[in-house]
Amino acid sequence: AGMTTLTREVLTLVAAMAPDGTARPHLDSALVADLGYSSLRLLELSIAVERAFALAPLSQDKLAGITTVGDLVELVRDQRDPS
């Protein structure tokens, strides 16, 4: 299955904001362990994601469950298309 536009956009955003500028994130990449995100940087990423995808503010509860890039993609998908 090809990557969706949403997936590509999230990956691009994660790569752009990753503290490790050489990181090549993929869906299995752990934001903290693999890409060097700090809690502050994760907060900045969540705000960037909210703006990029016109989402309602993401709650701490929702963000607490995010460990990989794939988790973030799922969260964005759920928030954009709540069913």
Side-chain angles (χ1 to χ4, degrees):
M3 271 205 276
T4 63
T5 305
L6 172 66
T7 302
R8 275 199 300 272
E9 287 173 359
V10 172
L11 281 167
T12 301
L13 200 56
V14 168
M17 295 190 66
D20 176 358
T22 61
R24 308 277 305 151
H26 47 85
L27 291 178
D28 297 334
S29 300
L31 292 165
V32 175
D34 296 331
L35 302 174
Y37 273 85
S38 62
S39 48
L40 178 62
R41 204 72 177 137
L42 284 171
L43 189 61
E44 291 171 352
L45 177 64
S46 70
I47 293 166
V49 165
E50 286 163 18
R51 288 187 183 145
F53 299 102
L55 304 179
L58 299 168
S59 68
Q60 285 301 317
D61 287 350
K62 287 194 169 68
L63 294 171
I66 303 294
T67 53
T68 67
V69 178
D71 292 339
L72 187 58
V73 171
E74 289 295 312
L75 177 62
V76 172
R77 190 175 289 135
D78 291 348
Q79 296 297 109
R80 276 219 316 201
D81 187 21
S83 51

